[in-house]
Amino acid sequence: MARRLFAAGIRSVFRIIGVASVVASSPVIFSCSDAEPEIAEVQPSLVLDYASAGALPSASLSVFLRISGNPRRASSFSVRRIAGEGEFPLEWFVDEPDSYLTDKDSFVFKRNLRVPPVSFRSDGTPARIPEPVPRGKYEATYADDAGGEVSRQFSVSYDERLLSATDSDVRGILGKTTEYVALYAEDRSLVFFGKAKGDWTSARNITRDYKQAVSMRTVLFTAGNKVVCLLPTSAVDKEG
C-alpha cells in the first residue's frame, strides 16, 4: 500500500511540476520536532523528453525521497553515484530541494539532474561519461535544518535502447505503461492532466470539455515510475 501511495504521489508531482513546469505549493504549518529524519523510500525516475517527432530524447534523472517529518525543513539534498572500479564518480548537490506534501506522505525531490558533458578522473584529467544518466548504484543524502542527516542507497536501471529510440519506437521498448494526457492553454499553463476520455479521438471533443486547450502531450509511466516518457507536444486543432 505504501509503495502504491508513493507512486501516486510521484505522478502528482509530475502533474504539478514535471509536466507543467510550474511550481504550485501552499504554506503548511508544522510543529517542531527533534526527531532524526528518516528516508522511508527512494524512487529514481529516468525522464525522457521528446522535443519533436522523430528526434531522440533528452534524458535526465529525477529523484524522490519519501521522508518523515516536515519536508520544508529540508536543508540540503544530494545524490551520489557509487562508482565501481573503472566507473566515473558523479554527484549532484542541491542546497534548496523541492518539497511536496500529501495527506499521508512528505516528499523531498529534485528534477532534471543532468550529467555534465565532462567529468574528471581522480588524477584531475577530464573524462567523458558515456551515458546521459549512468545506470548502477547511487546514494541519496538528506539533511534537515536541525542538523539531522540520513542516507539511503538506490539503483538506477533502464533499457539502454531507450536513449536511441524515437517517439514512434519507444512504446515497444517500454512495454506496459500507464498513459496520461496533458492539455495546455495558450500561455502554456496546464488545464488538465489525467486519463484521456474515451471519446477524445477528435480535437473537437477535447475542446468541448476544455475550451482553452490549444496543445496536448502524452506522458507514459512505467511500473513504479522508473521511466517517465514525455512524448512530443502536438496542437489541438479546434476545427478538427
Side-chain angles (χ1 to χ4, degrees):
M1 176 62 73
R3 181 170 292 275
R4 288 198 297 271
L5 290 172
F6 191 29
I10 291 172
R11 290 178 185 175
S12 296
V13 171
F14 274 101
R15 174 179 63 82
I16 295 173
I17 300 171
V19 176
S21 298
V22 175
V23 175
S25 62
S26 57
V28 179
I29 298 175
F30 291 86
S31 60
C32 295
S33 173
D34 295 328
E36 288 294 312
E38 294 181 0
I39 299 176
E41 190 172 359
V42 182
Q43 174 61 65
S45 293
L46 174 73
V47 181
L48 302 176
D49 190 342
Y50 286 92
S52 60
L56 296 182
S58 63
S60 64
L61 184 66
S62 294
V63 179
F64 301 84
L65 310 182
R66 183 163 62 89
I67 64 167
S68 62
N70 179 354
R72 296 190 176 92
R73 292 186 62 182
S75 173
S76 65
F77 171 31
S78 65
V79 175
R80 178 180 66 89
R81 183 190 187 194
I82 303 175
E85 184 177 354
E87 295 180 331
F88 300 111
L90 182 64
E91 185 170 12
W92 293 277
F93 182 82
V94 182
D95 57 4
E96 294 184 359
D98 297 309
S99 61
Y100 180 72
L101 183 70
T102 70
D103 292 339
K104 298 181 179 296
D105 288 307
S106 300
F107 302 98
V108 172
F109 65 95
K110 187 61 181 177
R111 298 169 50 248
N112 294 328
L113 297 175
R114 298 181 183 273
V115 176
V118 176
S119 185
F120 293 89
R121 299 186 179 93
S122 58
D123 61 2
T125 58
R128 293 191 176 276
I129 296 178
E131 295 178 295
V133 178
R135 293 167 293 177
K137 293 182 179 180
Y138 287 76
E139 182 179 65
T141 299
Y142 166 73
D144 64 17
D145 58 9
E149 184 175 289
V150 62
S151 298
R152 184 159 178 165
Q153 293 187 11
F154 64 96
S155 295
V156 172
S157 62
Y158 57 87
D159 190 325
E160 63 180 352
R161 294 178 298 167
L162 291 170
L163 302 177
S164 57
T166 64
D167 57 296
S168 60
D169 297 327
V170 71
R171 279 188 172 90
I173 299 173
L174 290 175
K176 185 178 180 180
T177 60
T178 302
E179 185 170 316
Y180 289 80
V181 170
L183 299 179
Y184 302 94
E186 186 70 38
D187 62 359
R188 290 292 298 161
S189 61
L190 185 69
V191 298
F192 171 83
F193 182 78
K195 299 287 185 68
K197 294 186 178 181
D199 64 351
W200 280 8
T201 54
S202 72
R204 182 171 297 168
N205 289 344
I206 294 175
T207 55
R208 173 202 64 200
D209 297 328
Y210 294 92
K211 293 182 175 59
Q212 65 271 51
V214 299
S215 61
M216 62 186 297
R217 195 171 205 188
T218 298
V219 185
L220 307 175
F221 292 87
T222 63
N225 305 312
K226 290 185 177 181
V227 178
V228 178
C229 183
L230 309 178
L231 296 182
T233 302
S234 60
V236 175
D237 184 357
K238 296 182 183 296
E239 300 301 322

